[in-house]
Amino acid sequence: MKNNKKVMYISLPMTGRDMQEIKDRLAYLKDKLSKYYNIITPLDLVEDNDYTKPYGYYIGKDIEYIIEKVDIVCFDGNWYQSKGCKMEHYCARTYDKDIKYTNDYAKISK
């Protein structure tokens, strides 16, 4: 059976946060939203868990994925205080992606 779910990318602030906290939050959101969407997170785009490249490399991968493969971008937490999330938000708006916020899904906001 073909999966006709839309692809949702989850954007959340990462700089200065503990990696385990980020992984836990993304796993939680993925679990709650994957029944409705095919979920992609920034960590899904990192090859071989290689976090040694410069920041620009990773945000570039995220932006490219949003432009080319995503239907919806969901912003979590204080996304508006994150430079990376603000770039992803601008990209999503510019390329006419549907935009959601975790507070749109009241039952998933912890």
Side-chain angles (χ1 to χ4, degrees):
M1 178 189 294
K2 187 175 178 187
N3 177 346
N4 291 323
K5 294 180 188 176
K6 290 186 175 189
V7 177
M8 175 185 274
Y9 175 87
I10 298 175
S11 175
L12 78 167
M14 295 177 73
T15 302
R17 291 177 71 186
D18 177 73
M19 185 55 80
Q20 191 58 53
E21 175 190 349
I22 292 166
K23 287 178 179 180
D24 291 347
R25 181 61 178 166
L26 288 172
Y28 177 78
L29 292 172
K30 203 172 201 179
D31 179 61
K32 296 299 179 185
L33 294 169
S34 63
K35 123 180 184 183
Y36 309 105
Y37 307 103
N38 289 322
I39 304 297
I40 299 297
T41 74
L43 299 184
D44 295 329
L45 302 179
V46 176
E47 297 171 11
D48 300 323
N49 289 320
D50 179 8
Y51 297 100
T52 61
K53 293 182 172 68
Y55 173 78
Y57 173 83
Y58 301 107
I59 193 70
K61 294 288 246 184
D62 299 342
I63 296 294
E64 177 184 18
Y65 200 87
I66 289 169
I67 292 169
E68 300 295 331
K69 301 192 179 189
V70 169
D71 301 300
I72 303 163
V73 182
C74 183
F75 294 90
D76 185 47
N78 295 331
W79 69 269
Y80 47 85
Q81 295 176 341
S82 163
K83 291 177 184 176
C85 291
K86 288 191 286 189
M87 286 193 301
E88 291 168 349
H89 193 268
Y90 180 80
C91 177
R93 281 192 2 241
T94 301
Y95 286 89
D96 297 319
K97 305 298 178 172
D98 287 339
I99 297 174
K100 300 283 186 191
Y101 305 92
T102 51
N103 60 358
D104 292 339
Y105 303 95
K107 62 186 172 210
I108 67 164
S109 294
K110 230 174 161 179

